[in-house]
Amino acid sequence: MTSPPTFLGMPPFPEAARSAVSNPQLRHNLRKATHTIRDKRAHVVGELSDWAELRAAGAAIKDRTLRRLDEYLLAAEAAVAAAGGTVHWAADAAEANRIVADLVRATGETEVVKVKSMVTQEIGLNEALAAEGIRAYETDLAELIVQLGDDLPSHILVPAIHRNRAEIREIFVREMAEWGVPAPPGLSDEPAALAEAARRHLRERFLSAKVAVSGANFLVAETGTLVVVESEGNGRMCLTLPETLISVVGIEKVVPTWADLEVFLQLLPRSSTGERMNPYTSMWTGVTPGDGPRDFHLVLLDNGRTDVLADTTGRQALRCIRCSACLNVCPVYERTGGHAYGSVYPGPIGAILVPQLRGVATGKVDPQTASLPYASSLCGACYEVCPVAIDIPEVLVHLREQVVEGGGHRAERAAMRAAEWVFDDAKRLRTVQRVAARSRRLLPRRAPGPGAAWSDSRALPEVPAQSFRDWWVRERGAPPARPPAAPAQPPVEKNRIEEDDR
Amino acid sequence: MSSRAAILARVRRALADVPSDDDFPVARDYARAHVAEGVLELFVAHLRDYRAVVHEVAEDALPDAVAAAVERRGARTVVTPAGLPPAWTAGLAEGVCLADGWAYEQLYDNSINNRPTVADRADRADILTTSTLDTADGVLTAAAVGIAETGTIVLDAGPGQGRRALTLVPDWHLCVMRAADVVASVPQALERLDPGRPLTWISGPSATSDIELDRVEGVHGPRTLEVLIVR
Ligand code: SF4
């Protein structure tokens, strides 16, 4: 087994972005994928005349939950326990990994099957289990492609978006035998044939698995019900067939009541895959004798979330339901792909969530993390599509402030490179500006709520409409210098930037 | 301090700006449903959108419709959950039905505080093993609720639906949906469902778009979903 992939040691965003942008295959795949999904999304969102009301309700339910999070967590714990589940609390990644490893070891098993889960990637669970002699098998098709290819996920919804069919075929032919049932002889690169190969590869594993690990999309405090939405049925396999199920769930996944699901089960599938409903949604409450696992463990994870909660501007990032709509509309993501963000959470949500989870407010984050709030032109398209109305540009500006306050010269350099990257290509710039012009009027002129104090004191003209360059000029008094490392780049089109950003 | 206490303390510290009697309002001015008429037609159209096979039948024609579907499929063994009306399978040849004896109704009286300790599936001779399920050609079930706006069928382990594995392992799912159980919207469906039960929401056959976003039907769940709608 090759050593598990890791995001640690990634170069800062601008450098990673530059290498991604120069890969034409990657850019083609990304463009096709993001445009396809966003067109589908627009179509099904358009079917619901009350989308604005649903979106407002989604945001309000999450805010309501976050503002009394301790109470809702205790209610969820009690309900899960009453239904026969066992609840564990993990302050950080290491503790969550240890809890899961101990639970697996207690079953006597050395293998687990996994449902696609962002949070277990966030904590590096597979690697931690491997260190304990436990092999974790990813079962989502895209995650399987990523795992077999010893690769990293690059999109929340379609983690192997950067791979084309020929590459996937090659990975299957080369690696499947090493992990279990080999690829069938003469495997073609037709998606149906590749999916069939994955079905056969995993079938035996599902039928014999004793332990499964999942995340969850929602945890209902009132009833203790967990919800997993998926497409392929691998989730159902993992949630239903094994004897022991361990679900690792971030503390922000709680919703107060059963009825609240009526909002999120409309918002999520339409925002995410652009479908009216995803093929399968599983809901379970504790254990049901004779149906599904006989042991259910819920691991509630903090891992930096309480730090996010403490930031009155940044806490709105905890509303996120991981639909990935913001990735698909982001002009920066479309060009760089997910890997450039150096985290399991790429795109606009990654740019605001990851720095906060890693403690940007303390001023002690690595240059990669410090560069993330600059991985944006502040065009506002992400806010517009977000089903829970997270004002991502507002949080980005807020985090840039924190970076500059805490960061010193490393952060400055990262910012400079981001500026160069975002603005050094005329075509790229035009796209960014077009999107910006369309969405600017939807954004608040003044940061609402507690963030207002900051924007007032700095006499910001129009917070989200401001480009990086404006920000830089205001903070530093002169346009960012171009680093000598990139002499071949065309000069910045200075006048156009200023004209459009006024 | 335990991590539980530590996390709760950190949450409370993080919320120092929030008044202790905070009651953040949620406006519920979204629609309870988006359609009032043509609900069944919409349900059928959306199921077909997902490439499910749909037939509409009268109640007394159901046994023939089931038999015809089984014959078209060429299925020789069909899993039948406890509580399935015997009339539904009356048209099938002997030996086709593989009965599974698991019944939610015998385990619970729908009160979350009254959870019995029950003999597990391994101790029950009338419960099919996973490997037997894997050899079956299909499964025939009833359904709890249908949702027209999303083309969704919800199973809640009620009579004729069985445990979750039954509709997961066999490759063909033949589902009987009563027109009276089809509602317009997700909010209406949730009102009818009991969160204490294991629930499976099915919207078309298993599918993936993970390879170049080409939709491929059937990865791990049943590759064919066939729905008989009883008027
Ligand atoms: S920030 Fe909003 S749009 Fe982006 S993934 Fe989260 S919920 Fe979806």
Side-chain angles (χ1 to χ4, degrees), chain A residues 305-318:
Chain A
R305 284 160 177 75
T306 46
D307 291 331
V308 185
L309 190 67
D311 185 321
T312 52
T313 303
R315 72 166 58 129
Q316 59 184 308
L318 296 177

Side-chain angles (χ1 to χ4, degrees), chain B residues 176-225:
Chain B
V176 177
M177 183 88 228
R178 292 185 181 281
D181 292 329
V182 178
V183 299
S185 68
V186 170
Q188 290 174 349
L190 282 162
E191 281 168 12
R192 288 191 175 206
L193 292 166
D194 172 0
R197 290 167 170 261
L199 300 174
T200 304
W201 296 43
I202 298 169
S203 308
S206 154
T208 183
S209 299
D210 279 345
I211 302 167
E212 296 185 11
L213 291 184
D214 265 18
R215 185 178 166 98
V216 175
E217 255 105 65
V219 191
H220 304 296
R223 283 181 280 196
T224 310
L225 172 66

Side-chain angles (χ1 to χ4, degrees), chain A residues 77-386:
Chain A
E77 178 190 45
V80 170
T86 309
V87 180
H88 311 258
W89 300 69
D92 56 22
E95 186 175 14
N97 289 333
R98 190 181 51 66
I99 291 170
V100 176
D102 287 350
L103 288 170
V104 176
R105 210 177 302 102
T107 67
E109 296 295 317
T110 54
E111 295 184 348
V112 301
V113 286
K114 282 188 68 205
V115 190
K116 176 172 177 290
S117 141
M118 309 291 309
V119 75
T120 57
Q121 287 170 27
E122 173 192 324
I123 63 176
L125 178 66
N126 291 7
E127 295 75 24
L129 290 179
E132 305 258 349
I134 298 163
R135 199 163 182 178
Y137 293 96
E138 295 292 348
T139 64
D140 171 78
L141 178 52
E143 295 287 359
L144 178 70
I145 295 165
V146 167
Q147 186 172 46
L148 292 177
D150 193 22
D151 200 354
L152 295 166
S154 64
H155 190 283
I156 290 177
L157 176 67
V158 267
I161 201 168
H162 56 290
R163 294 288 197 186
N164 64 30
R165 61 183 71 190
E167 293 174 302
I168 294 166
R169 179 193 165 272
E170 203 198 301
I171 291 168
F172 280 12
V173 169
R174 198 178 61 225
E175 299 291 337
M176 271 186 170
E178 155 88 1
W179 289 76
V181 176
L187 178 66
S188 82
D189 65 2
E190 278 306 306
L194 295 170
E196 170 70 18
R199 180 185 176 98
R200 288 205 212 166
H201 178 74
L202 288 171
R203 191 78 180 176
E204 202 40 52
R205 179 108 54 227
F206 283 134
L207 300 188
S208 61
K210 297 280 189 289
V211 184
V213 177
S214 83
N217 295 90
F218 306 102
L219 163 60
V220 181
E222 174 188 48
T223 60
T225 307
L226 283 112
V227 183
V228 165
V229 307
E230 53 134 354
S231 295
E232 296 170 12
N234 63 306
R236 292 180 67 193
M237 290 278 179
C238 294
L239 301 171
T240 311
L241 298 182
E243 290 169 1
T244 301
L245 171 62
I246 306 164
S247 299
V248 183
V249 178
I251 54 174
E252 83 284 16
K253 296 284 178 181
V254 186
V255 297
T257 67
W258 175 247
D260 290 328
L261 292 177
E262 71 191 18
V263 174
F264 296 107
L265 290 179
Q266 295 191 78
L267 290 174
L268 179 57
R270 288 178 201 255
S271 299
S272 178
T273 50
E275 293 172 297
R276 297 185 181 100
M277 189 63 83
N278 49 287
Y280 297 132
T281 298
S282 295
M283 302 180 181
W284 73 98
T285 304
V287 291
T288 302
D291 183 353
R294 46 184 117 187
D295 284 312
F296 170 59
H297 296 272
L298 172 65
V299 182
L300 291 169
L301 176 74
D302 180 350
N303 203 33
R305 284 160 177 75
T306 46
D307 291 331
V308 185
L309 190 67
D311 185 321
T312 52
T313 303
R315 72 166 58 129
Q316 59 184 308
L318 296 177
R319 286 187 209 143
C320 174
I321 55 174
R322 310 277 189 266
C323 72
S324 72
C326 57
L327 278 60
N328 300 326
V329 297
C330 177
V332 175
Y333 177 88
E334 184 187 319
R335 282 162 178 78
T336 64
H339 290 160
Y341 294 82
S343 148
V344 294
Y345 303 109
I349 180 59
I352 61 167
L353 189 59
V354 174
Q356 295 196 82
L357 287 174
R358 293 184 185 161
V360 69
T362 65
K364 291 194 205 75
V365 293
D366 59 281
Q368 157 70 25
T369 304
S371 73
L372 287 176
Y374 299 91
S376 167
S377 64
L378 301 179
C379 77
C382 47
Y383 166 68
E384 221 179 308
V385 294
C386 178

Side-chain angles (χ1 to χ4, degrees), chain A residues 361-423:
Chain A
T362 65
K364 291 194 205 75
V365 293
D366 59 281
Q368 157 70 25
T369 304
S371 73
L372 287 176
Y374 299 91
S376 167
S377 64
L378 301 179
C379 77
C382 47
Y383 166 68
E384 221 179 308
V385 294
C386 178
V388 286
I390 300 171
D391 194 338
I392 294 174
E394 180 194 13
V395 182
L396 285 168
V397 171
H398 173 69
L399 296 179
R400 288 178 185 187
E401 155 93 331
Q402 292 184 343
V403 167
V404 169
E405 276 178 357
H409 70 280
R410 289 191 314 178
E412 285 178 33
R413 202 165 57 227
M416 204 150 58
R417 289 183 186 154
E420 176 214 350
W421 180 79
V422 174
F423 295 111

